[in-house]
Amino acid sequence: MKKLSIVLAILLVAALIFGGVSLSQKNDLQKQMDSKVTDLQKQLDAKVNELATAVSESDAAKAAQTTIEEAKTAAEEAAASLQEQLTALTAEKDSALADAAAKAEETLAALTSEKDAAIAALEEKLSTAATEAETALADAAAKAEEALAAVTGEKETAEKALASANAAVATLQGQVNGMSKLLSGNYAGKTVILHSNDVHGNLEGYAYIATLRNWFYSLGANVILVDAGDFSQGSIYVSSSKGEAAIEMMNAVGYDIATPGNHEFDFGYAQLMENLSKANFTTISANVILDETGESVLPGTAIYETSDGLKIAFLGLETPETATKVHPGLIKEIHFTTFDDLYTCAQTTVDSVKDSADLVIGLWHLGVDEESALNGYRSLDVLAKTTGVDFVLDGHSHTVMTEGPNGEPIQSSGTKFAYVSVVVIDDATKTIEDHYLYPTDGLAQDEAVLAKAHEIMAEVDAKYGAKFATSEVLLTGDKAPGNRTEETNLGDLITDALVWSVVKEGGIEQVEPSHVLGITNGGGIRAAVNVGDVTMKDINTVLPFGNTVAVIYVTGEELLEALEASTFCTPSSIGGYPQTSGITWTLDTTKEYAQGSVYVLDGKESSYFAPAAIQRVTIESVNGEAFDPAATYAVVTNNFCAAGGDTYNAFARAYSEGSGFDTGIPMDEAVMAYTIT
């Protein structure tokens, strides 16, 4: 149809063309037309061929489509068949899985039951075994403890026996050495200084030094008797007379020179001066200053000239710690040279006598305790900061020594006449040729001096020797470890008694009963209470200072300050260590004490420093209730601490502002009354 239309169109075009031209033109046109026709015919053929090919391809496509349709049908049939098979297989699988799960559950239940039974059986066996093991272990531990106790007891017994034997050997050796020195030489032309320190009321001990004096006299020596302090306090035999009995004994022996110790001031400055007015010996100290005049209360030196013309200048020094080791209210008239001024005082005093003496001997109550090192108040510190002192006879720390740790020329005889210190001087060369300690154990005692001691002691025993209680345990009186390093059973007894003595009388209604607590300074506890009968003399020996019970109202913050300051050097010993009642507190000695400014009391510098921060002490509770830094607490203490003694400046501030009162109850009487209730 398309081919015929094309031909007709061509003829129509030719007719149109031929109708308007010449023959030649027609011929030419005819040729052109023929050529065009030929070309068109070729194009038409080509198109026809293309159409034929397309038709042919269309038929093939239709055939392919048929095939695809057939294949699709076949695939769908196959898929349906496969789905049927899959459904069947899935059903079989689910059935098999269900069966397997059921069997697995049955098996698991059986295994679990067996496991539980096995565990129960095992636990029963373990429990039985554990019980048997605990019993066996307990038996073994008990036997081990018994064995250990036996071994420890044997060891302690052996150690004590060994220590006793060593001490006996040392004493005997010392006596042999001392006796050999006495017997081996002619002491004509020699001056012998016999020195005691820290006698602390051992009246019978004076008979030992009297015996040695007599021996040296008999051998031709010039003999000088000197004491380095603390003779007025330490036992009821001297404290009951406020130190006067010690003066009587020293007069009986024939002492020449003495330096007061801090305990000479325990009964007050006025009492000491009254006692010394009865002394037949010279008392010296360069650094006890009368506030009114600014001058030394006592001579700083005493020059002793022997029959051979030897001149010895004795220089006296008193520990500045006395300012806080004595009730501040009893020494208001005086103060003690402190810190670097102590060295200046010592050097100035040495310079004043060195040109008029052959030897300068320090008679010092300074000691070598580490507690005193903080402020540089040890005899070793003064020696290191001065020149011109040939030898030091020391007291205060109860040290037994014939030289300092680095060979310093210093000697001390311990306490209570365990030893007598001996210094031998050659009068011709004016040099110290020997010095040693003579042990008194087993030494004969001068009968006249011993009789005087017994006379004084008998009077005291008659008044204070009656039994009033019995102690079933040893109440410790040790210093360190003891009352100056930790709380002790004796410290707890005393503070409990102080609180009891006030609470029963009333008068502290300013605070709730739960806010009442007790504190006393460990350094005020001077002896132990042994197992057995307890007498008034025992308690007075423990508490010899005549202190009374006082009450101070402080804030929790002030209480913390007091505890922090009074434990600043713990675990090293300190007299202010708090023995307490009704308070639970903790001290962390691994932390450093934050030292602040020096404490000042009544315008005078103390020996101690305030804490710059509270970082070693914590208070957990007071009488079982949580501690409150802002709350007010009533502290029952002694009048020494209330006045700022030792490290209790925080108490003194409150007390001076009228926040407290003195009950007037003697401490020893409070303890005795509490004990028998």
Side-chain angles (χ1 to χ4, degrees):
M1 178 64 71
K2 288 183 179 180
K3 186 174 180 182
L4 179 60
S5 298
I6 292 171
V7 173
L8 290 175
I10 292 171
L11 292 177
L12 178 59
V13 171
L16 290 173
I17 292 173
F18 292 153
V21 294
S22 65
L23 181 59
S24 60
Q25 289 176 331
K26 288 182 180 179
N27 289 334
D28 290 334
L29 288 172
Q30 181 67 46
K31 290 178 182 178
Q32 292 176 6
M33 288 297 297
D34 290 339
S35 177
K36 291 286 185 181
V37 169
T38 300
D39 291 335
L40 288 173
Q41 183 65 47
K42 289 179 180 179
Q43 292 177 11
L44 180 60
D45 290 340
K47 290 292 183 181
V48 170
N49 289 333
E50 288 178 6
L51 289 172
T53 300
V55 170
S56 176
E57 290 176 354
S58 175
D59 292 340
K62 290 180 179 179
Q65 180 65 36
T66 301
T67 302
I68 289 171
E69 291 293 337
E70 293 174 352
K72 179 180 178 182
T73 300
E76 289 177 351
E77 292 175 354
S81 176
L82 289 172
Q83 183 62 47
E84 292 177 359
Q85 296 176 23
L86 179 60
T87 300
L89 289 173
T90 300
E92 292 177 3
K93 179 200 73 170
D94 291 343
S95 176
L97 286 175
D99 292 342
K103 291 180 180 179
E105 287 181 359
E106 291 177 2
T107 303
L108 179 60
L111 290 174
T112 301
S113 177
E114 293 176 2
K115 177 202 74 172
D116 291 343
I119 289 174
L122 181 59
E123 286 178 346
E124 184 177 354
K125 290 180 179 179
L126 287 175
S127 177
T128 302
T131 301
E132 293 174 352
E134 287 177 0
T135 302
L137 184 59
D139 292 342
K143 291 179 180 179
E145 286 180 1
E146 290 177 3
L148 179 60
V151 171
T152 301
E154 292 175 1
K155 179 186 175 187
E156 290 177 352
T157 301
E159 287 176 345
K160 288 179 181 178
L162 180 60
S164 178
N166 287 337
V169 169
T171 299
L172 181 60
Q173 186 63 51
Q175 290 173 345
V176 170
N177 291 342
M179 186 61 70
S180 65
K181 290 176 184 291
L182 284 171
L183 298 177
S184 63
N186 179 2
Y187 281 83
K190 310 288 184 184
T191 294
V192 174
I193 301 173
L194 298 180
H195 153 240
S196 58
N197 58 272
D198 301 290
V199 173
H200 285 298
N202 181 11
L203 300 187
E204 293 176 314
Y206 286 106
Y208 292 127
I209 199 169
T211 293
L212 288 177
R213 175 205 58 194
N214 296 339
W215 283 359
F216 280 109
Y217 271 149
S218 69
L219 295 171
N222 292 306
V223 182
I224 307 172
L225 294 183
V226 301
D227 187 275
D230 277 6
F231 44 81
S232 298
Q233 183 63 275
S235 81
I236 194 171
Y237 296 123
V238 290
S239 63
S240 59
S241 64
K242 298 184 178 180
E244 185 178 340
I247 303 297
E248 290 184 46
M249 290 304 305
M250 295 172 76
N251 286 340
V253 176
Y255 273 81
D256 297 292
I257 304 170
T259 290
N262 52 288
H263 286 295
E264 268 61 75
F265 294 88
D266 283 344
F267 306 106
Y269 166 70
Q271 182 67 51
L272 172 60
M273 299 309 291
E274 181 181 341
N275 290 347
L276 293 181
S277 70
K278 302 173 183 177
N280 297 332
F281 50 87
T282 301
T283 307
I284 59 174
S285 184
N287 66 317
V288 182
I289 310 300
L290 186 64
D291 292 343
E292 184 178 357
T293 64
E295 301 294 328
S296 176
V297 170
L298 299 168
T301 62
I303 296 180
Y304 188 99
E305 184 173 0
T306 70
S307 58
D308 294 328
L310 175 70
K311 294 181 179 179
I312 304 173
F314 290 91
L315 163 62
L317 289 176
E318 163 71 301
T319 174
E321 295 170 1
T322 304
T324 49
K325 290 186 178 297
V326 172
H327 191 313
L330 298 177
I331 53 174
K332 289 183 177 180
E333 306 94 330
I334 60 176
H335 68 273
F336 304 87
T337 307
T338 57
F339 302 112
D340 289 348
D341 290 341
L342 175 63
Y343 313 141
T344 301
C345 174
Q347 188 64 65
T348 300
T349 308
V350 171
D351 293 343
S352 70
V353 296
K354 65 181 180 181
D355 293 335
S356 55
D358 300 307
L359 291 169
V360 177
I361 304 292
L363 190 59
W364 296 349
H365 192 81
L366 297 176
V368 294
D369 278 337
E370 283 304 308
E371 176 186 341
S372 305
L374 177 66
N375 298 323
Y377 291 159
R378 299 174 304 170
S379 53
L380 299 173
D381 302 317
V382 178
L383 264 178
K385 295 295 180 88
T386 56
T387 59
V389 178
D390 297 292
F391 201 79
V392 173
L393 297 170
D394 198 27
H396 187 48
S397 60
H398 299 189
T399 309
V400 177
M401 61 180 174
T402 55
E403 63 179 16
N406 297 308
E408 295 91 342
I410 182 171
Q411 187 160 287
S412 179
S413 64
T415 182
K416 296 188 176 182
F417 284 115
Y419 299 87
V420 173
S421 176
V422 181
V423 178
V424 181
I425 302 170
D426 182 75
D427 293 351
T429 63
K430 298 178 173 47
T431 58
I432 297 173
E433 67 176 30
D434 199 5
H435 62 91
Y436 55 91
L437 299 177
Y438 196 102
T440 61
D441 186 21
L443 181 66
Q445 292 177 283
D446 181 88
E447 292 183 0
V449 173
L450 188 61
K452 178 64 176 177
H454 286 166
E455 176 187 333
I456 295 173
M457 294 168 67
E459 293 178 2
V460 175
D461 286 342
K463 183 177 181 180
Y464 293 94
K467 169 191 172 182
F468 75 91
T470 301
S471 179
E472 297 181 354
V473 297
L474 172 67
L475 300 174
T476 184
D478 294 338
K479 291 182 178 180
N483 293 295
R484 301 188 184 202
T485 61
E486 59 199 65
E487 291 209 41
T488 66
N489 55 0
L490 184 52
D492 289 342
L493 171 65
I494 292 169
T495 51
D496 287 347
L498 299 186
V499 173
W500 171 85
S501 69
V502 174
V503 170
K504 74 180 181 65
E505 298 294 338
I508 52 174
E509 288 78 12
Q510 183 172 327
V511 299
E512 295 294 326
S514 60
H515 281 50
V516 179
L517 59 106
I519 292 179
T520 195
N521 57 314
I525 301 173
R526 308 300 294 187
V529 175
N530 294 315
V531 176
D533 293 346
V534 182
T535 66
M536 292 175 62
K537 182 174 68 176
D538 294 327
I539 301 302
N540 193 267
T541 302
V542 171
L543 301 169
F545 301 113
N547 294 123
T548 54
V549 181
V551 177
I552 315 159
Y553 296 104
V554 298
T555 65
E557 290 182 348
E558 289 172 322
L559 180 58
L560 276 170
E561 178 188 342
L563 294 178
E564 185 87 7
S566 59
T567 57
F568 78 94
C569 63
T570 310
S572 296
S573 67
I574 178 172
Y577 190 91
Q579 301 294 324
T580 68
S581 174
I583 178 173
T584 301
W585 61 288
T586 301
L587 170 64
D588 187 350
T589 59
T590 65
K591 295 181 179 177
E592 293 292 328
Y593 180 71
Q595 180 174 299
S597 59
V598 65
Y599 273 134
V600 177
L601 191 62
D602 292 333
K604 303 172 186 178
E605 288 187 337
S606 164
S607 299
Y608 300 108
F609 293 82
I614 306 300
Q615 56 189 36
R616 284 163 57 93
V617 168
T618 54
I619 299 176
E620 284 76 38
S621 63
V622 177
N623 295 311
E625 294 189 0
F627 170 69
D628 181 0
T632 297
Y633 293 93
V635 179
V636 183
T637 184
N638 59 68
N639 61 340
F640 168 72
C641 291
D646 275 337
T647 46
Y648 291 94
N649 195 272
F651 287 178
R653 289 198 305 269
Y655 200 60
S656 65
E657 295 170 0
S659 188
F661 59 94
D662 192 326
T663 67
I665 303 170
M667 282 184 70
D668 58 342
E669 292 184 14
V671 173
M672 287 187 282
Y674 176 70
T675 302
I676 62 178
T677 54

